[in-house]
Short mmCIF file of all heavy atoms in Angstrom, two decimals:
data_model
loop_
_atom_site.label_atom_id
_atom_site.label_comp_id
_atom_site.label_asym_id
_atom_site.label_seq_id
_atom_site.Cartn_x
_atom_site.Cartn_y
_atom_site.Cartn_z
N SER U 83 8.40 -57.59 -3.97
CA SER U 83 8.72 -56.52 -4.91
C SER U 83 8.47 -55.18 -4.24
O SER U 83 7.50 -55.01 -3.50
CB SER U 83 7.84 -56.62 -6.15
OG SER U 83 8.20 -57.73 -6.92
N ARG U 84 9.35 -54.23 -4.51
CA ARG U 84 9.21 -52.87 -3.98
C ARG U 84 8.82 -51.97 -5.14
O ARG U 84 9.55 -51.86 -6.12
CB ARG U 84 10.54 -52.40 -3.41
CG ARG U 84 10.99 -53.27 -2.27
CD ARG U 84 12.47 -53.09 -2.07
NE ARG U 84 12.86 -53.74 -0.84
CZ ARG U 84 13.89 -53.37 -0.12
NH1 ARG U 84 14.65 -52.36 -0.50
NH2 ARG U 84 14.18 -54.02 0.98
N ILE U 85 7.68 -51.36 -5.00
CA ILE U 85 7.10 -50.63 -6.13
C ILE U 85 6.80 -49.19 -5.75
O ILE U 85 6.24 -48.92 -4.68
CB ILE U 85 5.80 -51.35 -6.58
CG1 ILE U 85 6.16 -52.73 -7.15
CG2 ILE U 85 5.03 -50.51 -7.60
CD1 ILE U 85 4.97 -53.65 -7.34
N LEU U 86 7.19 -48.27 -6.63
CA LEU U 86 6.81 -46.86 -6.47
C LEU U 86 5.70 -46.55 -7.47
O LEU U 86 5.88 -46.75 -8.68
CB LEU U 86 8.02 -45.95 -6.73
CG LEU U 86 7.73 -44.43 -6.79
CD1 LEU U 86 7.24 -43.91 -5.44
CD2 LEU U 86 8.98 -43.67 -7.24
N LEU U 87 4.56 -46.10 -6.97
CA LEU U 87 3.45 -45.71 -7.86
C LEU U 87 3.70 -44.29 -8.34
O LEU U 87 3.82 -43.36 -7.53
CB LEU U 87 2.12 -45.80 -7.11
CG LEU U 87 1.51 -47.18 -6.87
CD1 LEU U 87 1.52 -48.03 -8.14
CD2 LEU U 87 2.18 -47.90 -5.72
N THR U 88 3.81 -44.15 -9.65
CA THR U 88 4.09 -42.84 -10.23
C THR U 88 3.65 -42.82 -11.69
O THR U 88 3.77 -43.84 -12.38
CB THR U 88 5.61 -42.52 -10.15
OG1 THR U 88 5.92 -41.43 -11.05
CG2 THR U 88 6.47 -43.70 -10.54
N PRO U 89 3.16 -41.65 -12.15
CA PRO U 89 2.78 -41.59 -13.57
C PRO U 89 3.98 -41.74 -14.51
O PRO U 89 3.80 -41.95 -15.70
CB PRO U 89 2.13 -40.20 -13.71
CG PRO U 89 2.51 -39.44 -12.49
CD PRO U 89 2.85 -40.43 -11.43
N ARG U 90 5.20 -41.69 -13.98
CA ARG U 90 6.41 -41.92 -14.78
C ARG U 90 6.71 -43.40 -14.98
O ARG U 90 7.67 -43.77 -15.67
CB ARG U 90 7.65 -41.33 -14.09
CG ARG U 90 7.71 -39.84 -13.99
CD ARG U 90 9.10 -39.44 -13.45
NE ARG U 90 10.15 -39.77 -14.40
CZ ARG U 90 11.36 -40.22 -14.09
NH1 ARG U 90 11.70 -40.43 -12.84
NH2 ARG U 90 12.25 -40.48 -15.03
N GLY U 91 5.97 -44.27 -14.28
CA GLY U 91 6.30 -45.70 -14.30
C GLY U 91 5.85 -46.41 -15.56
O GLY U 91 5.18 -45.84 -16.42
N LYS U 92 6.24 -47.68 -15.64
CA LYS U 92 5.75 -48.53 -16.73
C LYS U 92 4.28 -48.83 -16.47
O LYS U 92 3.88 -49.05 -15.32
CB LYS U 92 6.50 -49.87 -16.75
CG LYS U 92 7.91 -49.81 -17.27
CD LYS U 92 8.42 -51.24 -17.50
CE LYS U 92 9.92 -51.26 -17.75
NZ LYS U 92 10.46 -52.63 -17.67
N PRO U 93 3.48 -48.89 -17.51
CA PRO U 93 2.05 -49.16 -17.32
C PRO U 93 1.82 -50.52 -16.64
O PRO U 93 2.49 -51.49 -16.98
CB PRO U 93 1.48 -49.17 -18.74
CG PRO U 93 2.50 -48.53 -19.61
CD PRO U 93 3.83 -48.70 -18.93
N LEU U 94 0.89 -50.57 -15.71
CA LEU U 94 0.53 -51.82 -15.04
C LEU U 94 -0.28 -52.69 -16.00
O LEU U 94 -1.30 -52.24 -16.53
CB LEU U 94 -0.29 -51.54 -13.78
CG LEU U 94 -0.70 -52.78 -12.96
CD1 LEU U 94 0.53 -53.53 -12.45
CD2 LEU U 94 -1.60 -52.38 -11.80
N LEU U 95 0.17 -53.92 -16.21
CA LEU U 95 -0.52 -54.86 -17.08
C LEU U 95 -0.97 -56.07 -16.27
O LEU U 95 -0.38 -56.39 -15.24
CB LEU U 95 0.41 -55.33 -18.22
CG LEU U 95 0.97 -54.25 -19.14
CD1 LEU U 95 1.91 -54.87 -20.18
CD2 LEU U 95 -0.15 -53.48 -19.82
N GLN U 96 -2.00 -56.75 -16.77
CA GLN U 96 -2.51 -57.95 -16.09
C GLN U 96 -1.40 -59.00 -15.92
O GLN U 96 -1.39 -59.72 -14.92
CB GLN U 96 -3.70 -58.52 -16.88
CG GLN U 96 -4.45 -59.63 -16.17
CD GLN U 96 -5.16 -59.17 -14.90
OE1 GLN U 96 -5.44 -58.00 -14.70
NE2 GLN U 96 -5.46 -60.11 -14.04
N SER U 97 -0.46 -59.07 -16.87
CA SER U 97 0.63 -60.05 -16.76
C SER U 97 1.48 -59.78 -15.51
O SER U 97 1.87 -60.72 -14.80
CB SER U 97 1.50 -60.03 -18.02
OG SER U 97 1.86 -58.70 -18.35
N ARG U 98 1.75 -58.53 -15.22
CA ARG U 98 2.54 -58.18 -14.02
C ARG U 98 1.70 -58.41 -12.76
O ARG U 98 2.23 -58.87 -11.73
CB ARG U 98 3.01 -56.71 -14.09
CG ARG U 98 3.93 -56.30 -12.95
CD ARG U 98 5.30 -56.97 -13.01
NE ARG U 98 6.16 -56.65 -11.90
CZ ARG U 98 6.69 -57.57 -11.06
NH1 ARG U 98 6.48 -58.86 -11.25
NH2 ARG U 98 7.46 -57.20 -10.07
N VAL U 99 0.41 -58.12 -12.83
CA VAL U 99 -0.50 -58.36 -11.70
C VAL U 99 -0.46 -59.85 -11.33
O VAL U 99 -0.35 -60.21 -10.15
CB VAL U 99 -1.94 -57.93 -12.05
CG1 VAL U 99 -2.93 -58.42 -10.99
CG2 VAL U 99 -2.03 -56.41 -12.19
N ARG U 100 -0.52 -60.71 -12.33
CA ARG U 100 -0.46 -62.16 -12.09
C ARG U 100 0.82 -62.57 -11.39
O ARG U 100 0.80 -63.37 -10.45
CB ARG U 100 -0.55 -62.92 -13.42
CG ARG U 100 -1.94 -63.12 -13.92
CD ARG U 100 -1.95 -64.10 -15.10
NE ARG U 100 -3.31 -64.52 -15.37
CZ ARG U 100 -3.97 -65.43 -14.64
NH1 ARG U 100 -3.37 -66.03 -13.62
NH2 ARG U 100 -5.21 -65.73 -14.92
N GLU U 101 1.95 -62.02 -11.86
CA GLU U 101 3.24 -62.34 -11.23
C GLU U 101 3.25 -61.89 -9.78
O GLU U 101 3.69 -62.63 -8.89
CB GLU U 101 4.39 -61.62 -11.96
CG GLU U 101 4.68 -62.16 -13.35
CD GLU U 101 5.70 -61.30 -14.11
OE1 GLU U 101 6.14 -60.25 -13.56
OE2 GLU U 101 6.05 -61.68 -15.23
N LEU U 102 2.78 -60.67 -9.52
CA LEU U 102 2.80 -60.13 -8.16
C LEU U 102 1.88 -60.94 -7.25
O LEU U 102 2.21 -61.21 -6.09
CB LEU U 102 2.41 -58.65 -8.16
CG LEU U 102 3.41 -57.71 -8.83
CD1 LEU U 102 2.82 -56.30 -8.95
CD2 LEU U 102 4.73 -57.66 -8.04
N ALA U 103 0.72 -61.34 -7.78
CA ALA U 103 -0.23 -62.12 -6.98
C ALA U 103 0.34 -63.50 -6.65
O ALA U 103 0.02 -64.07 -5.62
CB ALA U 103 -1.56 -62.24 -7.72
N ALA U 104 1.20 -64.01 -7.52
CA ALA U 104 1.78 -65.35 -7.31
C ALA U 104 2.94 -65.32 -6.32
O ALA U 104 3.38 -66.36 -5.84
CB ALA U 104 2.25 -65.91 -8.65
N GLY U 105 3.44 -64.12 -5.99
CA GLY U 105 4.57 -63.98 -5.07
C GLY U 105 4.13 -63.76 -3.64
O GLY U 105 2.95 -63.97 -3.31
N PRO U 106 5.07 -63.35 -2.76
CA PRO U 106 4.77 -63.21 -1.33
C PRO U 106 4.01 -61.93 -0.96
O PRO U 106 3.54 -61.79 0.16
CB PRO U 106 6.16 -63.20 -0.68
CG PRO U 106 7.08 -62.70 -1.76
CD PRO U 106 6.50 -63.16 -3.06
N GLY U 107 3.91 -60.98 -1.90
CA GLY U 107 3.22 -59.72 -1.59
C GLY U 107 3.97 -58.55 -2.20
O GLY U 107 4.83 -58.74 -3.07
N VAL U 108 3.63 -57.35 -1.75
CA VAL U 108 4.24 -56.14 -2.32
C VAL U 108 4.55 -55.11 -1.23
O VAL U 108 3.85 -55.05 -0.22
CB VAL U 108 3.31 -55.47 -3.37
CG1 VAL U 108 3.25 -56.29 -4.65
CG2 VAL U 108 1.92 -55.22 -2.82
N VAL U 109 5.59 -54.32 -1.46
CA VAL U 109 5.86 -53.14 -0.65
C VAL U 109 5.65 -51.96 -1.59
O VAL U 109 6.33 -51.85 -2.61
CB VAL U 109 7.31 -53.15 -0.11
CG1 VAL U 109 7.59 -51.88 0.70
CG2 VAL U 109 7.56 -54.40 0.73
N LEU U 110 4.66 -51.14 -1.28
CA LEU U 110 4.28 -50.05 -2.18
C LEU U 110 4.64 -48.70 -1.59
O LEU U 110 4.38 -48.45 -0.40
CB LEU U 110 2.77 -50.11 -2.45
CG LEU U 110 2.24 -51.43 -3.01
CD1 LEU U 110 0.73 -51.36 -3.17
CD2 LEU U 110 2.91 -51.76 -4.33
N VAL U 111 5.22 -47.85 -2.39
CA VAL U 111 5.50 -46.49 -1.97
C VAL U 111 4.55 -45.57 -2.73
O VAL U 111 4.54 -45.57 -3.96
CB VAL U 111 6.97 -46.09 -2.25
CG1 VAL U 111 7.20 -44.64 -1.86
CG2 VAL U 111 7.93 -47.02 -1.51
#
Side-chain angles (χ1 to χ4, degrees):
S83 290
R84 298 160 171 208
I85 294 167
L86 172 64
L87 284 312
T88 164
R90 292 188 66 218
K92 286 191 192 168
L94 181 62
L95 301 178
Q96 189 66 21
S97 49
R98 185 68 183 122
V99 169
R100 277 191 167 283
E101 290 173 357
L102 292 172
V108 288
V109 178
L110 304 178
V111 177

